[in-house]
Amino acid sequence: MSSAAEMSTRVAVVTGSNKGIGLAIVRALCQQFQGDVYLTARDKGRGQAAVESLASEGLKALFHQLDVGDLNSISSSAAFFKEKYGGVDVLINNAGIAFGVGDTTPFAVQAEVTLKTNFFAARDMLTHFLPLIKAGGRVVNISSFVGSSTLAKCSPVLQQRFRSEDITEDELVGLMQRFVDQAQKGEHKQGGWPDTAYGVSKLGLTVLSMILARRLSQQRPNDGILLNAACPGWVRTDMAGQAAEKSPDEGAVTPVYLALLPPGATEPHGKFVSEKEVQPW
């Protein structure tokens, strides 16, 4: 069992953080967060190599193997943090994928694979980890400005639902599944969806953030937990390419700002935040 000291130690967990923006977020948290910082990755070797690279910069991150695409991995990780720390203080859902612009993978496949990681796996993480978030905790879902531009390209009916204050998690999940199903039949455009699986996945993640923030406010009104969706910006990574305007460390600024909102802060909560500013939705 854990010692009382471990139970009182604050802990931050970052998914998909062996490279890119995730690694930059871990680096910043190692410098600014008072507590243990966990770099997590699907691949143990890559994750441990990333921890060692941070150690060479004089920064101490801990490694935990976590594959967001595997429910067993999520639930065993949740159990690990509950037992060792009694919960989690900061959770940053960063793991995500994107097909390149010139990728010839059929759209039907892109839709299924992209939504599986960027929306459904992130939702699984939140389902298992939200009950573990301690009072005063911070949850940041890494979304994208592509999600907002995608919203503007959806049909008026879809836009109305995605902006609605009464959309439920079940309704949102159904809409995301409908996009995948229609994409597989080549009927997504008739269904009111634009031609971007990545955009739809991030649109879904932003709306999920809003839904879950409302639920936290209702179910745990006195716990002071803040949950937001963050846009890192266009960042030079394997995913976005080298032409992007920001370095990974610059991309980490807004997510880390949201992760470290001071104790007692009441906002932002349930918002889409870019450049540290709440964006219209």
Side-chain angles (χ1 to χ4, degrees):
M1 285 299 291
S2 300
S3 66
E6 279 179 326
M7 282 287 192
S8 64
T9 301
R10 298 183 74 227
V11 60
V13 180
V14 187
T15 69
S17 50
N18 59 289
K19 63 178 183 178
I21 297 167
L23 180 57
I25 289 170
V26 170
R27 178 183 291 113
L29 289 176
C30 286
Q31 293 163 335
Q32 300 173 53
F33 177 75
Q34 300 298 312
D36 289 351
V37 180
Y38 276 83
L39 182 155
T40 74
R42 191 170 46 184
D43 185 285
K44 199 171 175 184
R46 280 188 220 144
Q48 286 172 331
V51 166
E52 284 161 25
S53 78
L54 290 169
S56 72
E57 299 172 33
L59 301 172
K60 185 190 174 206
L62 299 159
F63 176 69
H64 187 80
Q65 188 172 11
L66 170 57
D67 178 356
V68 299
D70 176 357
L71 264 179
N72 288 332
S73 179
I74 291 175
S75 59
S76 65
S77 296
F80 166 82
F81 288 107
K82 185 169 198 302
E83 185 181 322
K84 187 169 172 69
Y85 296 94
V88 171
D89 298 278
V90 172
L91 171 66
I92 301 185
N93 283 307
N94 167 74
I97 60 160
F99 286 85
V101 176
D103 197 302
T104 55
T105 305
F107 189 74
V109 177
Q110 291 196 25
E112 183 174 15
V113 171
T114 306
L115 272 283
K116 183 174 187 291
T117 298
N118 295 1
F119 178 78
F120 291 104
R123 176 181 176 243
D124 288 337
M125 274 295 298
L126 290 158
T127 300
H128 284 81
F129 274 79
L130 268 191
L132 302 185
I133 302 297
K134 295 182 181 181
R138 306 287 181 251
V139 180
V140 184
N141 296 321
I142 304 299
S143 190
S144 170
F145 58 88
V146 181
S148 353
S149 60
T150 298
L151 175 63
K153 293 174 191 161
C154 288
S155 69
V157 173
L158 286 173
Q159 287 189 47
Q160 191 272 325
R161 291 317 298 150
F162 288 136
R163 290 195 172 106
S164 156
E165 295 273 320
D166 65 8
I167 185 171
T168 63
E169 185 176 358
D170 285 345
E171 183 185 353
L172 175 63
V173 167
L175 287 167
M176 292 292 110
Q177 190 56 54
R178 187 201 300 173
F179 167 72
V180 173
D181 295 343
Q182 290 180 330
Q184 289 181 323
K185 295 177 193 157
E187 295 170 0
H188 58 286
K189 287 183 183 167
Q190 295 97 298
W193 303 96
D195 238 348
T196 162
Y198 181 78
V200 171
S201 74
K202 293 301 190 180
L203 158 63
L205 185 59
T206 300
V207 176
L208 180 63
S209 304
M210 295 171 175
I211 292 168
L212 295 178
R214 287 195 283 267
R215 188 186 300 164
L216 277 170
S217 298
Q218 288 163 354
Q219 296 179 353
R220 300 176 64 180
N222 303 317
D223 280 358
I225 297 167
L226 298 178
L227 183 156
N228 291 286
C231 172
W234 190 29
V235 179
R236 291 187 293 278
T237 60
D238 290 352
M239 205 158 89
Q242 293 308 305
E245 58 201 16
K246 288 186 177 182
S247 69
D249 288 331
E250 289 167 334
V253 168
T254 293
V256 171
Y257 156 74
L258 291 170
L260 300 179
L261 286 167
T266 56
E267 56 187 41
H269 179 54
K271 303 299 183 190
F272 176 60
V273 182
S274 175
E275 307 297 343
K276 299 191 191 175
E277 296 284 338
V278 172
Q279 302 300 311
W281 184 250

